[in-house]
Amino acid sequence: MSPASLASPSSPAFLASSSPLSGDGESFAVVVFLGFVAVSLLLCGLAAADSDDPEHFYAGGGAAFGPVGGGLAVAGDYISAATLLSTTGAVALDGADGILFACATVVSLFLVMRILGEPLRRKGVFTLGDFLADRLGAPSVRRPLGVACLVVLAPLLLVQLSTAGRIMAAMFGLPDGALTGCTAAGGALMVCYAAFGGMRGVGYVQILKVGVALTAMLLLAGVVLARYGWSAPALLGAAREHSGAGADFTRPGLHFGHSLAGRLDLIGFTATLLVGAACLPHLTMRLHPVREARTARRAVGWAVGPVALVCGGVVVAGLGACALLGRGPVRAADPGGATALLMVTGALDPAAGGARHSMLFAIVACAVFVTTLAAVAGITLAAASSLARDFGGRPAHGVGSGAAAREIRRARLGIVLVGAVAVVVAAGLGDRGRLTLISLSFAVAASVLAPVLLHALFLPGHSATGVRWTVYGTLPLILLLLAGSPAVSGTPFAVFPDHDVRWFPLQTPGLISIPAGFLLGLVGRDRPRTPEHRPARQDGAPYARQG
């Protein structure tokens, strides 16, 4: 099979070459897939008995797991398809830049656990809208925070869901016409996880996913290193030699180029990844229920450690893909390198008659599918929670069992609606705009959610006015800059590669939008209000003092 036939996991050539997985590889893929689905549904069913009220439905995970389980659940929420596929491709194509992106991923999680882990703890707080309304004493901030959270979560959900459908079709050797059905099946599973299991059920799924992804990536990294005598320098040297980029492969700047615009793009992209990944709503949602500061501190290692190991495996796999295949075939298969992780399995197991016929491919493909499915469940729960809490009127916390039951019904209905819309849109989009959607999500998280959170936590006098300025001022700026960027037109990975309407030279707007978000929050800040002038909380408790 030629590497060019792997242009996309959803391409006809990719699927034709994968039909069927032969021998043990096919059987193993089926067993792992069905086993994961059965165990995860069982765990969600066990958790469903405790999801009858908002406290259990929204917060059952972090409160119940303790530092070990809570940390692993956070790690599961943090590891996504982009972590495995896109970062592996970045390492294979861009060398030092990809390694930098992998390191930024780990550092970002460490920052959120150390800086935001303890301040975000609060009883009765389930979403970022809840937290800001409680912190600032202004329920009016719920809606703008809800808008920002949905803009962050919706693109991520589409990318993860379409990836799950493509991987499922590849694992079972299904034809191109089955992609829509596979996407719908993934959507149905995510709805079951989120609607019945709530936060605790999704937490169980995330812990299970961490074990599968960690095992697969460490196994793949071990096979790659064994090929080069367990010598990391030998692997790096082979990757540099076969990259065709020479010394540039081991120097930052290969991805965006060494021009001034390229250097600025690298800085902006790294800052966006570092700050944006730390403020993703489905990640911060898991930090609210933690009851004790000591538990939050102990969970840091259990969250960061598995992510660091997975990212280490990703770096080794990316270097192995470049060393065994070369940058040219990897780029020909996919301009962003998203298929590099699956391609390297075929190069490591040539006797199997192709990547799709190997046991190693079955293991890695199952790990990617499990990762995307669990990530989709967490994102869907966060999106539906924001709809129910931030747009659904008065939250039900502390106002009676009838109102609480209605809110849970709204949340579950929201999960079903989010899942249905996501399946339809993801099936229609296919691979188009995958990188652009990811850029949009992280840019909004870094430029809107990060300023709002940091100002609310550390800037005395920050108010609802500052939140609205940040949200409604920065969101249009991000959309405007992205529309005129290479991420939308004029490049092979753009939404419209055959058209060129670029006027903004950077691929990511973070270098402009992140400072703008912080500045707009400062411009819109009010003088701090005293507690006696603040509206009463829904549960009758006083608001925390700002500081």
Side-chain angles (χ1 to χ4, degrees), residues 249-330:
F249 188 77
T250 54
R251 293 188 306 187
L254 185 58
H255 181 79
F256 297 105
H258 297 287
S259 63
L260 176 60
R263 293 190 181 96
L264 294 176
D265 226 339
L266 179 61
I267 296 172
F269 181 83
T270 306
T272 301
L273 179 61
L274 189 67
V275 179
C279 299
L280 296 175
H282 60 290
L283 178 64
T284 58
M285 183 180 179
R286 196 164 291 280
L287 301 176
H288 298 313
V290 178
R291 294 290 178 257
E292 300 176 354
R294 181 171 176 268
T295 301
R297 289 192 296 269
R298 290 180 59 195
V300 173
W302 290 101
V304 177
V307 172
L309 290 174
V310 168
C311 287
V314 161
V315 170
V316 173
L319 293 176
C322 185
L324 295 169
L325 299 166
R327 288 176 73 230
V330 172

Side-chain angles (χ1 to χ4, degrees), residues 34-431:
L34 295 179
F36 176 82
V37 170
V39 173
S40 54
L41 286 176
L42 175 62
L43 292 175
C44 286
L46 294 175
D50 293 326
S51 59
D52 300 331
D53 62 80
E55 185 71 27
H56 285 116
F57 185 81
Y58 297 119
F65 292 148
V68 177
L72 292 176
V74 169
D77 273 312
Y78 196 74
I79 298 172
S80 66
T83 308
L84 300 183
L85 299 178
S86 298
T87 308
T88 302
V91 174
L93 295 177
D94 307 315
D97 286 353
I99 296 173
L100 177 63
F101 301 155
C103 293
T105 300
V106 179
V107 173
S108 177
L109 181 59
F110 178 78
L111 290 178
V112 70
M113 294 299 292
R114 293 295 295 179
I115 296 177
L116 299 179
E118 293 187 36
L120 287 178
R121 297 181 302 109
R122 194 154 298 191
K123 182 176 175 58
V125 166
F126 310 127
T127 66
L128 285 178
D130 285 343
F131 177 78
L132 267 295
D134 182 86
R135 177 75 180 181
L136 302 178
S140 62
V141 301
R142 292 183 184 277
R143 184 149 298 184
L145 259 296
V147 170
C149 289
L150 291 180
V151 174
V152 172
L153 293 170
L156 286 179
L157 179 58
L158 296 177
V159 172
Q160 301 283 343
L161 189 56
S162 62
T163 300
R166 293 196 302 271
I167 296 298
M168 184 187 295
M171 281 195 306
F172 295 106
L174 300 177
D176 193 27
L179 283 174
T180 300
C182 291
T183 303
L189 284 174
M190 77 174 181
V191 167
C192 292
Y193 293 152
F196 295 108
M199 177 65 88
R200 182 178 298 178
V202 173
Y204 289 144
V205 176
Q206 299 293 4
I207 294 172
L208 187 62
K209 154 189 155 180
V210 169
V212 175
L214 187 59
T215 300
M217 293 311 301
L218 291 181
L219 174 63
L220 180 60
V223 175
V224 171
L225 286 173
R227 181 67 64 92
Y228 293 93
W230 299 96
S231 172
L235 173 62
L236 181 60
R240 180 175 57 191
E241 180 181 351
H242 290 86
S243 68
D248 285 345
F249 188 77
T250 54
R251 293 188 306 187
L254 185 58
H255 181 79
F256 297 105
H258 297 287
S259 63
L260 176 60
R263 293 190 181 96
L264 294 176
D265 226 339
L266 179 61
I267 296 172
F269 181 83
T270 306
T272 301
L273 179 61
L274 189 67
V275 179
C279 299
L280 296 175
H282 60 290
L283 178 64
T284 58
M285 183 180 179
R286 196 164 291 280
L287 301 176
H288 298 313
V290 178
R291 294 290 178 257
E292 300 176 354
R294 181 171 176 268
T295 301
R297 289 192 296 269
R298 290 180 59 195
V300 173
W302 290 101
V304 177
V307 172
L309 290 174
V310 168
C311 287
V314 161
V315 170
V316 173
L319 293 176
C322 185
L324 295 169
L325 299 166
R327 288 176 73 230
V330 172
R331 191 180 298 279
D334 185 276
T339 57
L341 181 63
L342 300 179
M343 289 174 67
V344 73
T345 62
L348 291 167
D349 191 11
R356 279 60 190 172
H357 300 278
S358 75
M359 177 71 77
L360 188 58
F361 168 79
I363 295 172
V364 173
C366 285
V368 174
F369 176 76
V370 166
T371 297
T372 54
L373 192 63
V376 161
I379 295 169
T380 302
L381 178 61
S385 300
S386 183
L387 285 173
R389 302 283 297 180
D390 300 331
F391 295 96
R394 181 179 176 181
H397 181 74
V399 297
S401 59
R406 287 193 296 271
E407 180 174 331
I408 297 303
R409 286 196 296 270
R410 278 202 312 269
R412 286 177 170 148
L413 178 61
I415 289 171
V416 174
L417 292 176
V418 168
V421 172
V423 166
V424 173
V425 177
L429 282 178
D431 283 336

